[in-house]
Amino acid sequence: MVTLVTYLPFYRIHEINEYFMRNIEILKPKNAIAYIDNVFHERQREIINKVIPSNVEVRLGNWHNRNNTWLTMLRDFHSIGGEIMVVDSDNVVEPILTEVHKVLSTQVPIYGILNVEAWKGPIMARSRKIGDIKLGNSMRPLYTYRVYDSSLSGLFKGGSIFFIGPKQVITFMKLPDIELINKVERAINQVDPWLRNLISDETLLGIIVYLMGIKEVPWTIASHHYHHGSTLGKGTELLVAAAHYQFARALHKEFHRWEFMRYRIKYLLSMIKNLENLLNLGVSS
């Protein structure tokens, strides 16, 4: 049996009752934990105690972004032990995930789950099919996602060269070691606090599993996404590039790996391009 985990900011705590409780009913984990960010006042704790069911353990913090939340979670998972399944707070898993887990948990160290609504979307560009999972009388396709794009074109096209792939659900049978977590945390802490949320947690996790020696992460389809609709959209391309550039520079300092120099070069080029676009826009106006 797994430990089921979700994570979310305080303003979305309704999703615990709306979606996470449904996942608990479906998966019947040995225990369930919710990490809630942006909690800094006693009155918030009072609200949480009133609205969160007693069978969910609550862990509170004021990390201000998904990436620092994830690093705390990964460190905590070492003391929790066993298999850890993390589900996005606005996803509800399909019952068939229990059978998927029985198969994949004995074969791979980490696997991801894509939501049905994103099937055959952009995620396919770095994915390859490796077979099917036989589940009774039905089958689910099994893919792997390449977490590091080493191609020359990867330096110039959109999207991060590090990306874990589908993570509406991600399950760990193996964890990154504490030293690795600490080094990545030191690197993310070198990014301006206002920019850290512009780096997706898929990128952070892609970097971590790559450093664990995992080049591809298996995935299949077994959830539904109920998008929360609370965000205004992505940050400006220049700010996104600046965030990644700062992260890449700090990662190279920590790990001294060529891959992080490429990561830095990609976003240096992106910053130059976007600065030129802004200057041209100013001239034309």
Side-chain angles (χ1 to χ4, degrees), residues 58-120:
V58 175
R59 300 193 179 189
L60 309 176
N62 197 20
W63 302 284
H64 302 292
N65 66 87
R66 297 179 299 271
N67 292 315
N68 284 98
T69 305
W70 256 108
L71 291 162
T72 298
M73 288 162 50
L74 288 168
R75 192 178 289 110
D76 288 356
F77 293 166
H78 278 271
S79 60
I80 294 169
E83 297 166 355
I84 310 287
M85 183 179 289
V86 183
V87 58
D88 280 359
S89 62
D90 56 1
N91 267 248
V92 175
V93 304
E94 294 187 323
I96 204 167
L97 180 55
T98 57
E99 299 304 314
V100 169
H101 180 71
K102 288 177 183 176
V103 174
L104 293 183
S105 64
T106 62
Q107 299 179 6
V108 298
I110 296 171
Y111 70 84
I113 294 294
L114 181 70
N115 59 297
V116 173
E117 296 78 13
W119 173 225
K120 295 188 177 178

Side-chain angles (χ1 to χ4, degrees), residues 179-192:
E179 182 182 2
L180 189 157
I181 295 168
N182 290 341
K183 284 186 173 183
V184 174
E185 186 173 56
R186 284 198 296 270
I188 199 70
N189 286 343
Q190 293 301 306
V191 179
D192 188 293

